[in-house]
Amino acid sequence: MVSEDRKRVLDPERDAAALKALTHPLRIRLLGLLRQDGPATASELAVRTGESSASTSYHLRVLAKYAFVAEAEQRDGRERRWQAVHSVTAWSNAAMEGSPGSRAFVNVSRRVQIEHLERSLGRHEADVAAGRLGQEWVEPSGITDLVLRLTPESLTELWEVFDRTAEELAARDEGDPRAEQVVLVAAGLPLAS
């Protein structure tokens, strides 16, 4: 599991303004880029997102206002670098059902995660094609769309096992020079029969 000091758990009542700030898709994307690629300037993020640096600068300041990002160590006196404050933002889905604003946040967040998966798939394909990833990555890479019949308790258990196993493997591989950044996007979305 991610250590509690690296996880921010949002409460829909206490963090209503922060949730509203995060319902903007660009802000979620900027936060994700800072988590994935590390500290960056508004100009660097503008290039990565196709937005103007004025726009990314504004949205970074909003994220900073709600303590999602903070200024990072500067490489020189002219640039303002930003970093993510937490590596994970979490919440209780049951608590988020309580208001239209918090439900909107969850919906936007999920859609942005799907967009992140699409961008990651494109980057993965380009990295394999260009030889930036070796052949040892071809077999273990993939996407699955399993359809299972589970109870709410079993789905909860599956998430717990997934989280625990992912953290254990990441900790084990932390110092291995062969380790690469791996994007995992998982979904457990029950559908009514």
Side-chain angles (χ1 to χ4, degrees), residues 86-119:
H86 303 95
S87 58
V88 172
T89 303
W91 56 84
S92 160
N93 286 330
M96 291 297 200
E97 282 295 305
S99 76
S102 56
R103 281 193 306 273
F105 162 75
V106 171
N107 292 340
V108 168
S109 177
R110 288 175 177 170
R111 300 264 182 264
V112 170
Q113 288 173 319
I114 296 300
E115 292 168 6
H116 175 59
L117 175 60
E118 288 178 21
R119 284 189 303 276

Side-chain angles (χ1 to χ4, degrees), residues 39-192:
T41 66
S43 296
E44 291 167 341
L45 291 167
V47 170
R48 292 185 209 162
T49 61
E51 298 287 329
S52 71
S53 58
S55 176
T56 55
S57 179
Y58 168 77
H59 289 295
L60 286 165
R61 288 192 308 275
V62 172
L63 289 169
K65 177 179 178 181
Y66 295 104
F68 290 105
V69 302
E71 285 193 49
E73 184 176 315
Q74 309 302 323
R75 289 192 292 214
D76 64 42
R78 296 186 314 261
E79 64 181 9
R80 187 176 193 185
R81 299 182 65 71
W82 297 93
Q83 66 184 4
V85 174
H86 303 95
S87 58
V88 172
T89 303
W91 56 84
S92 160
N93 286 330
M96 291 297 200
E97 282 295 305
S99 76
S102 56
R103 281 193 306 273
F105 162 75
V106 171
N107 292 340
V108 168
S109 177
R110 288 175 177 170
R111 300 264 182 264
V112 170
Q113 288 173 319
I114 296 300
E115 292 168 6
H116 175 59
L117 175 60
E118 288 178 21
R119 284 189 303 276
S120 297
L121 176 59
R123 183 173 167 184
H124 167 76
E125 290 169 342
D127 287 344
V128 169
R132 290 185 292 268
L133 288 173
Q135 286 299 305
E136 69 274 14
W137 288 103
V138 172
E139 188 62 34
S141 303
I143 297 173
T144 185
D145 61 348
L146 297 174
V147 178
L148 309 169
R149 291 189 58 80
L150 300 173
T151 63
E153 297 79 14
S154 292
L155 183 55
T156 299
E157 183 179 343
L158 180 60
W159 280 120
E160 291 168 355
V161 169
F162 177 85
D163 288 345
R164 185 174 55 251
T165 303
E167 288 298 323
E168 288 170 0
L169 293 172
R172 182 186 74 193
D173 292 351
E174 180 73 27
D176 192 321
R178 299 172 306 129
E180 296 285 357
Q181 190 174 65
V182 175
V183 174
L184 288 175
V185 178
L189 305 172
L191 305 173

